[in-house]
Amino acid sequence: MITTTTHTIEGKQIREYLGLVTGEAIMGANVFRDFMAGITDFLGGRSDAYEDELANARETALQEMQDLARQQGADAIVGIDIDYEVLGANNGMLMVTATGTAVKIE
């Protein structure tokens, strides 16, 4: 399936718009990962634990969106937007939402 943040696909013509598709992923951060990230914040540098969790949540949301588009008979998704939010009393949850328009192309 072709996925793009643009509203057109070079060399392809959109023949039918099937509607909005979304995918969501909410991931919790565990205590050990929070502890290690705190050490990384104190010492400086990147937090691999959080980067891995963020990548996992993004891929989950994108896959869920593509699965929904396939169920609708789509060949592609255009205009994809990915949003990130933190949730929970202590910002202990990460939510990633992917949204796009499912289309059929020629």
Side-chain angles (χ1 to χ4, degrees), residues 1-2 14 16-22 65-66 68-80 99-105:
M1 175 168 296
I2 298 172
I14 295 173
E16 185 178 354
Y17 289 88
L18 301 174
L20 185 67
V21 287
T22 61
M65 180 183 63
Q66 288 178 46
L68 184 59
R70 278 189 195 92
Q71 291 172 12
Q72 295 180 11
D75 302 315
I77 305 171
V78 297
I80 294 174
T99 306
T101 302
V103 298
K104 288 188 178 186
I105 56 176

Side-chain angles (χ1 to χ4, degrees), residues 6-86:
T6 63
H7 296 282
T8 60
I9 301 170
E10 189 174 341
K12 304 287 184 183
Q13 183 164 344
I14 295 173
R15 62 180 170 91
E16 185 178 354
Y17 289 88
L18 301 174
L20 185 67
V21 287
T22 61
E24 297 90 13
I26 299 176
M27 307 294 198
N30 66 32
V31 174
F32 177 72
R33 189 176 306 135
D34 286 345
F35 176 74
M36 294 307 291
I39 291 173
T40 300
D41 287 344
F42 179 74
L43 298 175
R46 296 171 66 161
S47 172
D48 288 339
Y50 279 117
E51 286 179 0
D52 290 346
E53 192 71 18
L54 183 62
N56 184 33
R58 183 179 55 248
E59 289 304 315
T60 299
L62 288 168
Q63 187 62 54
E64 185 178 294
M65 180 183 63
Q66 288 178 46
D67 291 345
L68 184 59
R70 278 189 195 92
Q71 291 172 12
Q72 295 180 11
D75 302 315
I77 305 171
V78 297
I80 294 174
D81 180 55
I82 301 173
D83 291 313
Y84 303 88
E85 296 289 333
V86 290

